Amino acid sequence: FEGSMGDISLKFNFEQERHRLHFALMLRILRTRDPMLDPSSNVAVITEEVDEEDHQTFGRIVNAQHYNVDNYISIVFSVSDLKLFDKVQSTSRHSYLEFFVRYPRQDRFLYAKSPTTHIPQSVLQTEDAALRRKKERKDENEEEEEKKKEEMKRQVLGDEVPIAAMRFELKNVKLKIPKVPHQIFGRLMAKDDYFPTAIGTFDFQVTRAHLQNRMTDESERKKGNKNEKDLPATLRRPFYSSWKATQPDGKEDHVKLGTLTLRLMGYVTETKHTSIAKGAKSGSQEGSKGSKERSGSKGSNGSSGKKGSKEGTREQGSDDDSEPSSSEASRSSKSSGSG
Protein backbone atom coordinates (compact mmCIF):
# COMPACT_ATOMS: atom_id res chain seq x y z
CA PHE A 1 0.00 0.00 0.00
CA GLU A 2 1.17 3.51 -0.77
CA GLY A 3 1.33 5.92 2.15
CA SER A 4 2.40 9.49 2.75
CA MET A 5 5.72 8.29 4.19
CA GLY A 6 6.32 5.70 1.48
CA ASP A 7 5.21 2.15 0.84
CA ILE A 8 3.65 0.39 3.81
CA SER A 9 3.40 -3.38 4.16
CA LEU A 10 0.39 -4.71 6.03
CA LYS A 11 -0.19 -8.30 7.14
CA PHE A 12 -3.65 -9.83 7.42
CA ASN A 13 -4.32 -12.98 9.38
CA PHE A 14 -7.37 -15.14 8.70
CA GLU A 15 -8.79 -17.94 10.79
CA GLN A 16 -10.18 -19.81 7.79
CA GLU A 17 -9.08 -20.23 4.20
CA ARG A 18 -12.50 -19.10 3.02
CA HIS A 19 -12.06 -15.69 4.68
CA ARG A 20 -8.72 -15.17 2.96
CA LEU A 21 -10.22 -16.06 -0.40
CA HIS A 22 -13.12 -13.64 0.08
CA PHE A 23 -10.72 -10.84 1.01
CA ALA A 24 -8.58 -11.44 -2.09
CA LEU A 25 -11.65 -11.51 -4.34
CA MET A 26 -12.94 -8.28 -2.80
CA LEU A 27 -9.69 -6.45 -3.57
CA ARG A 28 -9.68 -7.74 -7.14
CA ILE A 29 -13.32 -6.69 -7.69
CA LEU A 30 -12.68 -3.20 -6.32
CA ARG A 31 -9.74 -2.78 -8.68
CA THR A 32 -11.61 -3.89 -11.79
CA ARG A 33 -15.13 -2.60 -11.08
CA ASP A 34 -14.37 1.06 -11.80
CA PRO A 35 -11.14 1.62 -13.78
CA MET A 36 -11.97 5.36 -14.03
CA LEU A 37 -12.15 5.76 -10.24
CA ASP A 38 -10.38 8.82 -8.93
CA PRO A 39 -7.95 7.70 -6.16
CA SER A 40 -8.32 11.10 -4.48
CA SER A 41 -12.09 10.66 -4.01
CA ASN A 42 -13.51 9.92 -0.57
CA VAL A 43 -14.36 6.26 0.01
CA ALA A 44 -16.54 5.23 2.95
CA VAL A 45 -15.94 1.73 4.35
CA ILE A 46 -19.08 0.33 6.02
CA THR A 47 -18.81 -2.68 8.31
CA GLU A 48 -21.61 -4.96 9.45
CA GLU A 49 -21.52 -3.56 12.98
CA VAL A 50 -22.84 -0.01 12.53
CA ASP A 51 -22.57 2.49 15.35
CA GLU A 52 -26.00 3.92 16.05
CA GLU A 53 -24.51 7.22 17.20
CA ASP A 54 -22.78 7.71 13.84
CA HIS A 55 -25.96 8.64 11.98
CA GLN A 56 -26.01 9.40 8.28
CA THR A 57 -26.16 12.93 6.91
CA PHE A 58 -26.99 14.35 3.50
CA GLY A 59 -23.42 15.56 2.97
CA ARG A 60 -21.84 12.22 3.83
CA ILE A 61 -24.07 10.29 1.45
CA VAL A 62 -23.55 12.74 -1.41
CA ASN A 63 -19.77 13.02 -1.01
CA ALA A 64 -19.16 9.27 -0.71
CA GLN A 65 -18.39 6.90 -3.58
CA HIS A 66 -20.99 4.12 -3.59
CA TYR A 67 -20.35 0.62 -4.92
CA ASN A 68 -23.61 -1.18 -4.13
CA VAL A 69 -26.31 -0.35 -6.68
CA ASP A 70 -28.98 -0.37 -3.94
CA ASN A 71 -27.16 2.52 -2.25
CA TYR A 72 -26.68 4.58 -5.44
CA ILE A 73 -28.20 8.07 -5.70
CA SER A 74 -31.52 7.96 -7.57
CA ILE A 75 -32.37 10.34 -10.41
CA VAL A 76 -35.55 10.71 -12.46
CA PHE A 77 -35.70 12.33 -15.91
CA SER A 78 -38.16 12.86 -18.75
CA VAL A 79 -37.32 13.62 -22.39
CA SER A 80 -39.29 16.50 -23.89
CA ASP A 81 -38.12 16.48 -27.51
CA LEU A 82 -35.17 16.43 -29.86
CA LYS A 83 -35.03 19.48 -32.17
CA LEU A 84 -33.03 18.86 -35.34
CA PHE A 85 -31.21 21.68 -37.13
CA ASP A 86 -29.71 19.60 -39.94
CA LYS A 87 -30.39 16.40 -41.82
CA VAL A 88 -29.23 13.09 -40.41
CA GLN A 89 -27.68 10.10 -42.12
CA SER A 90 -29.51 6.88 -41.37
CA THR A 91 -30.24 3.60 -43.09
CA SER A 92 -33.59 3.27 -41.32
CA ARG A 93 -36.43 5.52 -40.19
CA HIS A 94 -36.90 3.53 -36.98
CA SER A 95 -34.86 4.98 -34.13
CA TYR A 96 -34.65 4.95 -30.33
CA LEU A 97 -32.75 6.70 -27.54
CA GLU A 98 -30.32 5.05 -25.12
CA PHE A 99 -28.99 6.31 -21.78
CA PHE A 100 -25.95 4.84 -20.02
CA VAL A 101 -24.79 5.47 -16.47
CA ARG A 102 -21.67 3.41 -17.18
CA TYR A 103 -21.21 2.67 -20.87
CA PRO A 104 -21.62 -0.04 -22.17
CA ARG A 105 -23.29 -1.73 -19.17
CA GLN A 106 -27.03 -2.36 -19.58
CA ASP A 107 -27.85 -3.42 -16.02
CA ARG A 108 -30.98 -2.45 -14.14
CA PHE A 109 -30.97 1.21 -13.01
CA LEU A 110 -27.81 1.79 -15.08
CA TYR A 111 -29.44 1.78 -18.55
CA ALA A 112 -32.60 3.15 -20.14
CA LYS A 113 -34.06 2.73 -23.62
CA SER A 114 -36.97 4.45 -25.33
CA PRO A 115 -39.61 2.85 -27.55
CA THR A 116 -39.11 3.05 -31.30
CA THR A 117 -39.79 6.46 -32.89
CA HIS A 118 -39.87 7.33 -36.60
CA ILE A 119 -37.44 9.87 -38.00
CA PRO A 120 -39.23 12.56 -40.05
CA GLN A 121 -38.74 12.09 -43.74
CA SER A 122 -37.85 15.75 -44.16
CA VAL A 123 -34.65 15.40 -42.12
CA LEU A 124 -33.61 11.99 -43.40
CA GLN A 125 -30.61 12.21 -45.70
CA THR A 126 -30.34 9.32 -48.12
CA GLU A 127 -27.70 8.83 -50.78
CA ASP A 128 -29.71 7.13 -53.47
CA ALA A 129 -28.60 6.94 -57.08
CA ALA A 130 -31.60 8.99 -58.21
CA LEU A 131 -30.75 11.83 -55.83
CA ARG A 132 -27.17 11.87 -57.03
CA ARG A 133 -28.30 12.22 -60.62
CA LYS A 134 -30.59 15.10 -59.69
CA LYS A 135 -27.73 16.86 -57.93
CA GLU A 136 -25.50 16.43 -60.96
CA ARG A 137 -28.19 17.83 -63.27
CA LYS A 138 -28.67 20.97 -61.17
CA ASP A 139 -27.34 24.13 -62.70
CA GLU A 140 -24.90 26.37 -60.95
CA ASN A 141 -27.52 29.12 -60.78
CA GLU A 142 -29.88 26.91 -58.75
CA GLU A 143 -27.11 26.02 -56.31
CA GLU A 144 -26.26 29.70 -55.83
CA GLU A 145 -29.91 30.54 -55.17
CA GLU A 146 -30.18 27.81 -52.54
CA LYS A 147 -27.04 29.05 -50.83
CA LYS A 148 -28.43 32.59 -50.74
CA LYS A 149 -31.68 31.38 -49.16
CA GLU A 150 -29.79 29.49 -46.49
CA GLU A 151 -27.66 32.53 -45.71
CA MET A 152 -30.78 34.70 -45.41
CA LYS A 153 -32.29 32.23 -42.93
CA ARG A 154 -29.13 32.21 -40.85
CA GLN A 155 -28.98 35.99 -40.74
CA VAL A 156 -32.62 36.30 -39.65
CA LEU A 157 -33.08 33.26 -37.37
CA GLY A 158 -29.48 32.38 -36.50
CA ASP A 159 -27.53 29.20 -37.04
CA GLU A 160 -29.79 26.97 -34.96
CA VAL A 161 -33.01 26.85 -36.96
CA PRO A 162 -35.06 23.74 -36.13
CA ILE A 163 -36.37 21.97 -39.22
CA ALA A 164 -38.10 19.14 -37.34
CA ALA A 165 -38.73 17.83 -33.82
CA MET A 166 -38.79 14.25 -32.58
CA ARG A 167 -40.69 13.21 -29.45
CA PHE A 168 -39.94 10.11 -27.42
CA GLU A 169 -42.07 8.24 -24.89
CA LEU A 170 -39.63 8.54 -22.01
CA LYS A 171 -41.37 9.90 -18.93
CA ASN A 172 -40.25 9.57 -15.29
CA VAL A 173 -37.37 7.20 -16.05
CA LYS A 174 -35.39 6.19 -12.95
CA LEU A 175 -31.64 5.66 -12.98
CA LYS A 176 -29.02 5.41 -10.22
CA ILE A 177 -25.60 7.06 -10.17
CA PRO A 178 -22.63 6.10 -7.93
CA LYS A 179 -21.58 9.66 -7.07
CA VAL A 180 -21.98 13.34 -7.94
CA PRO A 181 -21.03 14.94 -10.21
CA HIS A 182 -21.59 12.17 -12.74
CA GLN A 183 -21.74 12.24 -16.55
CA ILE A 184 -24.50 10.28 -18.30
CA PHE A 185 -23.90 9.28 -21.91
CA GLY A 186 -26.67 8.90 -24.49
CA ARG A 187 -27.11 8.26 -28.19
CA LEU A 188 -29.74 8.05 -30.91
CA MET A 189 -29.73 4.66 -32.60
CA ALA A 190 -31.13 3.55 -35.96
CA LYS A 191 -32.89 0.21 -35.73
CA ASP A 192 -31.64 -2.08 -38.50
CA ASP A 193 -32.42 -5.66 -39.46
CA TYR A 194 -29.02 -6.86 -38.33
CA PHE A 195 -27.04 -4.35 -36.26
CA PRO A 196 -28.22 -0.98 -34.90
CA THR A 197 -26.11 2.01 -35.92
CA ALA A 198 -25.50 5.24 -34.00
CA ILE A 199 -26.88 8.42 -35.56
CA GLY A 200 -25.76 10.91 -32.93
CA THR A 201 -24.56 11.24 -29.34
CA PHE A 202 -25.17 13.53 -26.37
CA ASP A 203 -24.41 13.71 -22.66
CA PHE A 204 -25.44 15.59 -19.54
CA GLN A 205 -24.05 15.97 -16.04
CA VAL A 206 -25.84 15.35 -12.74
CA THR A 207 -24.56 17.64 -9.97
CA ARG A 208 -25.36 18.18 -6.31
CA ALA A 209 -27.72 21.02 -7.26
CA HIS A 210 -30.06 18.48 -8.93
CA LEU A 211 -30.62 16.50 -5.70
CA GLN A 212 -33.40 16.75 -3.14
CA ASN A 213 -33.06 15.78 0.51
CA ARG A 214 -35.63 13.04 1.17
CA MET A 215 -34.09 11.42 4.22
CA THR A 216 -36.43 9.81 6.73
CA ASP A 217 -34.71 11.56 9.65
CA GLU A 218 -36.78 14.72 10.13
CA SER A 219 -33.88 16.77 11.51
CA GLU A 220 -31.74 15.94 8.47
CA ARG A 221 -34.60 16.47 6.02
CA LYS A 222 -35.24 19.97 7.36
CA LYS A 223 -31.65 20.94 6.56
CA GLY A 224 -32.40 20.33 2.88
CA ASN A 225 -29.84 21.00 0.16
CA LYS A 226 -28.25 24.46 0.17
CA ASN A 227 -27.26 24.22 -3.51
CA GLU A 228 -30.62 22.88 -4.68
CA LYS A 229 -32.06 24.38 -7.89
CA ASP A 230 -35.69 24.77 -8.89
CA LEU A 231 -36.46 21.12 -9.55
CA PRO A 232 -37.08 19.49 -11.88
CA ALA A 233 -34.39 21.32 -13.82
CA THR A 234 -34.67 21.79 -17.58
CA LEU A 235 -31.55 20.80 -19.52
CA ARG A 236 -30.87 21.56 -23.19
CA ARG A 237 -27.95 19.50 -24.40
CA PRO A 238 -26.29 19.61 -27.85
CA PHE A 239 -26.80 16.60 -30.08
CA TYR A 240 -23.76 15.79 -32.24
CA SER A 241 -23.44 13.50 -35.24
CA SER A 242 -21.66 10.18 -34.90
CA TRP A 243 -19.72 10.89 -38.10
CA LYS A 244 -17.21 13.63 -38.84
CA ALA A 245 -17.67 16.24 -41.54
CA THR A 246 -15.53 19.04 -42.94
CA GLN A 247 -16.12 22.32 -41.11
CA PRO A 248 -15.95 25.79 -42.70
CA ASP A 249 -12.45 26.23 -41.28
CA GLY A 250 -11.33 23.06 -43.06
CA LYS A 251 -11.12 20.80 -40.02
CA GLU A 252 -13.04 17.56 -39.67
CA ASP A 253 -15.21 17.33 -36.58
CA HIS A 254 -18.60 16.12 -35.38
CA VAL A 255 -21.52 18.24 -36.58
CA LYS A 256 -24.10 19.67 -34.21
CA LEU A 257 -27.38 18.25 -35.49
CA GLY A 258 -29.81 19.48 -32.84
CA THR A 259 -30.68 19.99 -29.18
CA LEU A 260 -32.12 17.48 -26.73
CA THR A 261 -34.43 18.92 -24.07
CA LEU A 262 -35.08 16.97 -20.89
CA ARG A 263 -36.18 17.54 -17.31
CA LEU A 264 -34.08 16.13 -14.48
CA MET A 265 -34.15 15.78 -10.70
CA GLY A 266 -32.64 13.45 -8.11
CA TYR A 267 -33.15 12.61 -4.48
CA VAL A 268 -31.09 11.25 -1.59
CA THR A 269 -32.28 8.74 1.03
CA GLU A 270 -30.50 6.76 3.73
CA THR A 271 -28.43 3.84 2.63
CA LYS A 272 -29.78 0.45 3.57
CA HIS A 273 -27.02 -0.77 5.87
CA THR A 274 -28.46 0.96 8.98
CA SER A 275 -31.88 -0.64 8.65
CA ILE A 276 -30.31 -4.01 7.98
CA ALA A 277 -28.10 -3.73 11.06
CA LYS A 278 -31.02 -2.74 13.27
CA GLY A 279 -33.11 -5.55 11.82
CA ALA A 280 -30.30 -8.00 12.45
CA LYS A 281 -30.03 -6.88 16.09
CA SER A 282 -33.75 -7.17 16.69
CA GLY A 283 -33.79 -10.48 14.89
CA SER A 284 -30.95 -11.81 17.06
CA GLN A 285 -32.78 -10.72 20.20
CA GLU A 286 -35.99 -12.38 19.07
CA GLY A 287 -34.02 -15.45 18.07
CA SER A 288 -32.40 -15.67 21.51
CA LYS A 289 -35.80 -15.37 23.19
CA GLY A 290 -37.19 -18.05 20.90
CA SER A 291 -34.26 -20.35 21.61
CA LYS A 292 -34.81 -19.95 25.37
CA GLU A 293 -38.49 -20.75 25.00
CA ARG A 294 -37.66 -23.75 22.83
CA SER A 295 -35.08 -25.00 25.34
CA GLY A 296 -37.66 -24.69 28.13
CA SER A 297 -40.24 -26.58 26.16
CA LYS A 298 -37.68 -29.22 25.34
CA GLY A 299 -36.97 -29.74 29.05
CA SER A 300 -40.63 -30.27 29.90
CA ASN A 301 -41.17 -32.52 26.93
CA GLY A 302 -38.03 -34.48 27.77
CA SER A 303 -39.23 -35.46 31.26
CA SER A 304 -42.63 -36.48 29.98
CA GLY A 305 -40.93 -38.37 27.17
CA LYS A 306 -38.87 -40.39 29.63
CA LYS A 307 -41.98 -41.33 31.58
CA GLY A 308 -43.73 -42.28 28.36
CA SER A 309 -40.81 -44.44 27.30
CA LYS A 310 -40.90 -46.33 30.61
CA GLU A 311 -44.64 -46.91 30.30
CA GLY A 312 -44.14 -48.07 26.74
CA THR A 313 -41.59 -50.69 27.77
CA ARG A 314 -43.94 -51.94 30.47
CA GLU A 315 -46.81 -52.30 28.02
CA GLN A 316 -44.54 -54.03 25.54
CA GLY A 317 -43.47 -56.51 28.24
CA SER A 318 -47.07 -57.32 29.10
CA ASP A 319 -47.83 -57.96 25.47
CA ASP A 320 -44.86 -60.32 25.23
CA ASP A 321 -46.08 -62.26 28.27
CA SER A 322 -49.52 -62.73 26.76
CA GLU A 323 -48.17 -64.15 23.50
CA PRO A 324 -47.11 -67.90 23.58
CA SER A 325 -43.42 -68.69 23.18
CA SER A 326 -42.02 -70.64 20.23
CA SER A 327 -41.40 -73.82 22.36
CA GLU A 328 -44.99 -73.89 23.56
CA ALA A 329 -46.24 -73.43 20.01
CA SER A 330 -44.11 -76.39 18.80
CA ARG A 331 -45.38 -78.64 21.60
CA SER A 332 -49.01 -77.82 20.80
CA SER A 333 -48.39 -78.59 17.10
CA LYS A 334 -46.82 -82.01 17.96
CA SER A 335 -49.69 -82.95 20.23
CA SER A 336 -52.24 -82.04 17.63
CA GLY A 337 -50.33 -84.09 15.02
CA SER A 338 -50.18 -87.20 17.22
CA GLY A 339 -53.88 -86.95 18.01
Side-chain angles (χ1 to χ4, degrees):
F1 294 89
E2 296 180 358
S4 58
M5 303 298 293
D7 295 341
I8 302 173
S9 60
L10 299 177
K11 293 183 179 180
F12 300 91
N13 296 324
F14 303 95
E15 296 179 356
Q16 298 180 10
E17 183 70 17
R18 178 169 55 87
H19 296 165
R20 187 191 66 80
L21 179 61
H22 288 177
F23 182 77
L25 290 175
M26 180 192 68
L27 290 180
R28 185 175 292 273
I29 290 170
L30 289 177
R31 286 179 180 177
T32 59
R33 177 173 287 185
D34 191 1
M36 304 300 293
L37 177 64
D38 185 9
S40 62
S41 62
N42 297 328
V43 179
V45 179
I46 301 171
T47 58
E48 293 182 357
E49 297 179 359
V50 182
D51 189 3
E52 294 181 357
E53 296 179 358
D54 188 14
H55 66 281
Q56 297 179 0
T57 61
F58 178 82
R60 288 181 179 179
I61 297 175
V62 172
N63 295 330
Q65 170 83 31
H66 303 281
Y67 294 96
N68 188 0
V69 178
D70 295 333
N71 293 336
Y72 277 17
I73 300 172
S74 301
I75 62 170
V76 180
F77 69 92
S78 299
V79 177
S80 299
D81 59 4
L82 173 62
K83 293 182 176 65
L84 297 173
F85 308 141
D86 200 351
K87 292 187 176 182
V88 298
Q89 296 179 5
S90 176
T91 57
S92 174
R93 287 192 60 192
H94 306 284
S95 64
Y96 57 90
L97 284 177
E98 284 184 324
F99 293 83
F100 296 89
V101 175
R102 286 184 174 178
Y103 181 82
R105 294 179 61 180
Q106 297 185 3
D107 301 339
R108 188 167 177 252
F109 296 127
L110 302 180
Y111 172 77
K113 179 182 176 182
S114 72
T116 304
T117 304
H118 296 284
I119 302 175
Q121 189 67 36
S122 58
V123 298
L124 195 62
Q125 182 179 358
T126 55
E127 292 292 336
D128 295 337
L131 290 175
R132 289 179 182 175
R133 291 173 186 173
K134 288 181 180 179
K135 288 181 181 179
E136 292 175 357
R137 291 177 184 176
K138 280 186 178 180
D139 297 333
E140 294 180 357
N141 296 330
E142 292 179 358
E143 292 180 357
E144 290 179 0
E145 289 179 0
E146 288 181 357
K147 288 181 180 180
K148 289 180 181 180
K149 290 180 181 179
E150 290 179 358
E151 289 178 0
M152 287 291 292
K153 286 183 180 179
R154 289 177 180 176
Q155 291 176 1
V156 176
L157 301 175
D159 293 334
E160 297 181 354
V161 181
I163 57 177
M166 296 178 61
R167 298 188 180 276
F168 299 88
E169 295 181 2
L170 271 179
K171 303 296 180 184
N172 300 326
V173 180
K174 183 179 179 180
L175 292 177
K176 290 190 174 184
I177 57 176
K179 62 178 181 178
V180 289
H182 187 79
Q183 198 85 3
I184 292 182
F185 169 75
R187 59 186 182 181
L188 178 66
M189 302 293 292
K191 194 174 182 180
D192 202 352
D193 294 335
Y194 299 100
F195 300 102
T197 55
I199 300 174
T201 60
F202 59 89
D203 58 12
F204 61 91
Q205 192 175 47
V206 183
T207 62
R208 183 169 181 164
H210 296 129
L211 303 179
Q212 283 185 347
N213 189 344
R214 293 189 182 180
M215 302 182 70
T216 56
D217 190 355
E218 188 175 355
S219 60
E220 289 294 333
R221 189 172 63 252
K222 286 181 179 179
K223 294 179 182 179
N225 182 8
K226 297 179 181 179
N227 301 325
E228 182 179 334
K229 294 182 178 180
D230 293 334
L231 299 177
T234 302
L235 303 180
R236 293 178 177 86
R237 300 299 301 161
F239 175 71
Y240 292 98
S241 63
S242 59
W243 66 90
K244 291 185 178 181
T246 305
Q247 302 294 330
D249 55 358
K251 297 181 180 180
E252 288 189 357
D253 199 358
H254 298 280
V255 182
K256 184 178 179 180
L257 298 177
T259 300
L260 179 72
T261 305
L262 52 91
R263 296 171 67 83
L264 171 70
M265 67 172 292
Y267 57 91
V268 175
T269 58
E270 284 89 352
T271 53
K272 293 186 178 181
H273 70 274
T274 53
S275 60
I276 292 172
K278 292 179 182 178
K281 290 181 180 178
S282 61
S284 62
Q285 292 176 358
E286 292 176 359
S288 61
K289 291 180 181 178
S291 60
K292 290 180 181 178
E293 293 175 356
R294 289 171 186 170
S295 61
S297 62
K298 282 181 180 179
S300 60
N301 293 334
S303 59
S304 61
K306 289 179 180 178
K307 294 179 180 178
S309 61
K310 291 180 180 179
E311 293 175 357
T313 53
R314 290 173 184 173
E315 291 176 357
Q316 188 175 0
S318 62
D319 292 336
D320 292 339
D321 294 339
S322 61
E323 291 180 0
S325 61
S326 58
S327 58
E328 293 177 355
S330 59
R331 290 173 187 173
S332 60
S333 62
K334 286 180 180 179
S335 61
S336 61
S338 60

PDB file of all heavy atoms in Angstrom, residues 17 35 115:
ATOM      1  N   GLU A  17      -9.506 -20.452   5.578  1.00  0.00           N
ATOM      2  CA  GLU A  17      -9.081 -20.229   4.204  1.00  0.00           C
ATOM      3  C   GLU A  17     -10.154 -19.502   3.400  1.00  0.00           C
ATOM      4  O   GLU A  17      -9.847 -18.715   2.505  1.00  0.00           O
ATOM      5  CB  GLU A  17      -8.752 -21.583   3.554  1.00  0.00           C
ATOM      6  CG  GLU A  17      -8.219 -21.492   2.131  1.00  0.00           C
ATOM      7  CD  GLU A  17      -6.822 -20.894   2.079  1.00  0.00           C
ATOM      8  OE1 GLU A  17      -6.150 -20.846   3.130  1.00  0.00           O
ATOM      9  OE2 GLU A  17      -6.422 -20.472   0.980  1.00  0.00           O
ATOM     10  N   PRO A  35     -12.506   1.215 -13.397  1.00  0.00           N
ATOM     11  CA  PRO A  35     -11.143   1.620 -13.776  1.00  0.00           C
ATOM     12  C   PRO A  35     -10.959   3.130 -13.793  1.00  0.00           C
ATOM     13  O   PRO A  35      -9.832   3.618 -13.673  1.00  0.00           O
ATOM     14  CB  PRO A  35     -10.974   1.018 -15.190  1.00  0.00           C
ATOM     15  CG  PRO A  35     -12.028  -0.021 -15.308  1.00  0.00           C
ATOM     16  CD  PRO A  35     -13.161   0.462 -14.467  1.00  0.00           C
ATOM     17  N   PRO A 115     -38.960   3.584 -26.462  1.00  0.00           N
ATOM     18  CA  PRO A 115     -39.614   2.848 -27.552  1.00  0.00           C
ATOM     19  C   PRO A 115     -39.206   3.410 -28.919  1.00  0.00           C
ATOM     20  O   PRO A 115     -38.643   4.496 -29.027  1.00  0.00           O
ATOM     21  CB  PRO A 115     -41.106   3.079 -27.273  1.00  0.00           C
ATOM     22  CG  PRO A 115     -41.188   3.465 -25.836  1.00  0.00           C
ATOM     23  CD  PRO A 115     -39.926   4.191 -25.531  1.00  0.00           C
TER      24      PRO A 115
END
